[in-house]
Amino acid sequence: MSTTSTARFTDRTVLVTGGGSGLGRAIALAFAAEGAKVAVAGRTAHSLDETVGLIEAAGGRGLAVVADTTRPAEVEALVRRTVEAFGGLDVAVNNAGILRGVGPVAEVAHADWQELLETNVTGVWLAMKHEIAHMKAHGGGAIVNIASNLGAHRRIPNVVAYATSKAAVSALTRGAALDHIGDGVRINAVSPGASATSMSLRPGESEAQRADRMKAETPLGRVAQVAEVAAAVLYLASDAAGAVVGTDLVIDSGSAA
Ligand SMILES: NC(=O)c1ccc[n+]([C@@H]2O[C@H](COP(=O)([O-])OP(=O)(O)OC[C@H]3O[C@@H](n4cnc5c(N)ncnc54)[C@H](OP(=O)(O)O)[C@@H]3O)[C@@H](O)[C@H]2O)c1
């Protein structure tokens, strides 16, 4: 594990929700590689343990916390356990999210609509509520929320339920940034486009088929790699982004350009 002078997060504590897979795992590993102690949260213990195993195998420190970000008591306990284990909370990445309710708006099932809003919007708000409370009382911090280019930045048919939830994450980020920069908490968002995780695969689609589709659908001709999204998150969380407040950085192969 590199903890050289180029490591931006040495001795800092980072919490990543949805850290057991996909973008969240890549983000957690990237922070750990730059010296951070990283807590990962989600609903599936074995996925979180795998992420922690990868962090530890590279010489870092990780903590797995099973928590459902839609449940207030579990989110409160998640922040508390992270602080107890690592002595603070400097950075939080609210990445946990789901994709549901694909199809035209009149055909979206009520249950899918509710689950999307509960997970993607309420979950991010709840996490911020407890993260900010801690950071505000302990000298500040940085938060990065994971929205999507399909929220505030780009419109395509048949994903309006998901897009609505992610547009709300963008709005929530900018509003929270204004509300809490005076408390020393710097809040920004990253809005990825189709990225190299299972979420961007259509039902039954292989990675090779997705690659062909991306050649046609994106200006760049490919998905964003998870490390490319993680790099944006680390920048926004770093001291170099000290004057970046309430921005919403699109990493989407040019799709929303
Ligand atoms: N991949 C893309 O193309 C893409 C594009 C734009 C935006 N995004 C966003 O990026 C984020 C990460 O997505 P991904 O592609 O990495 O997909 P993923 O692998 O499915 O990751 C989502 C993570 O969120 C966790 N999660 C879901 N509901 C949760 C809940 N209620 N409580 C706690 N954890 C929960 C999941 O773990 P458990 O199920 O174990 O809880 C999972 O680890 C999401 O917010 C997604 O909307 C992805």
Side-chain angles (χ1 to χ4, degrees):
M1 182 69 54
S2 167
T3 50
T4 64
S5 58
T6 57
R8 292 171 287 178
F9 299 96
T10 302
D11 293 333
R12 299 205 190 165
T13 293
V14 177
L15 166 61
V16 182
T17 69
S21 65
L23 293 175
R25 175 174 286 175
I27 292 164
L29 292 174
F31 274 111
E34 293 210 33
K37 296 168 277 189
V38 184
V40 286
R43 295 165 301 178
T44 312
H46 72 83
S47 321
L48 301 171
D49 290 342
E50 256 179 46
T51 300
V52 170
L54 291 167
I55 289 172
E56 290 177 347
R61 284 185 67 193
L63 172 75
V65 183
V66 174
D68 183 331
T69 53
T70 68
R71 297 187 178 158
E74 293 184 24
V75 177
E76 191 176 0
L78 166 63
V79 171
R80 192 174 60 244
R81 283 191 59 194
T82 303
V83 171
E84 281 168 4
F86 291 147
L89 179 63
D90 303 298
V91 173
V93 182
N94 298 314
N95 160 81
I98 55 170
L99 173 60
R100 294 273 187 290
V102 174
V105 69
E107 291 171 25
V108 173
H110 193 182
D112 284 341
W113 176 265
Q114 286 180 312
E115 198 181 348
L116 270 173
L117 293 184
E118 197 61 15
T119 307
N120 292 0
V121 186
T122 306
V124 170
W125 166 73
L126 258 181
M128 279 206 293
K129 181 177 171 65
H130 293 286
E131 293 155 1
I132 291 168
H134 174 85
M135 290 173 176
K136 182 179 168 178
H138 295 87
I143 294 176
V144 182
N145 295 324
I146 306 301
S148 167
N149 70 336
L150 295 178
H153 311 283
R154 182 178 181 226
R155 225 63 56 213
I156 60 170
N158 294 323
V159 289
V160 71
Y162 177 78
T164 300
S165 74
K166 290 299 189 175
V169 174
S170 290
L172 190 51
T173 300
R174 297 175 73 173
L178 291 177
D179 287 351
H180 292 289
I181 191 60
D183 299 321
V185 183
R186 216 165 41 73
I187 305 175
N188 292 286
V190 167
S191 282
S195 306
T197 78
S198 56
M199 193 181 279
S200 66
L201 292 169
R202 289 189 173 157
E205 188 177 52
S206 69
E207 289 186 10
Q209 288 166 329
R210 179 181 62 192
D212 286 341
R213 180 164 60 83
M214 287 298 132
K215 277 186 196 137
E217 285 185 4
T218 62
L220 180 63
R222 64 167 176 83
V223 291
Q225 299 304 323
V226 292
E228 293 171 327
V229 177
V233 173
L234 266 68
Y235 163 67
L236 289 173
S238 74
D239 293 344
V244 184
V245 177
T247 203
D248 185 350
L249 185 50
V250 178
I251 310 285
D252 77 341
S253 311
S255 298

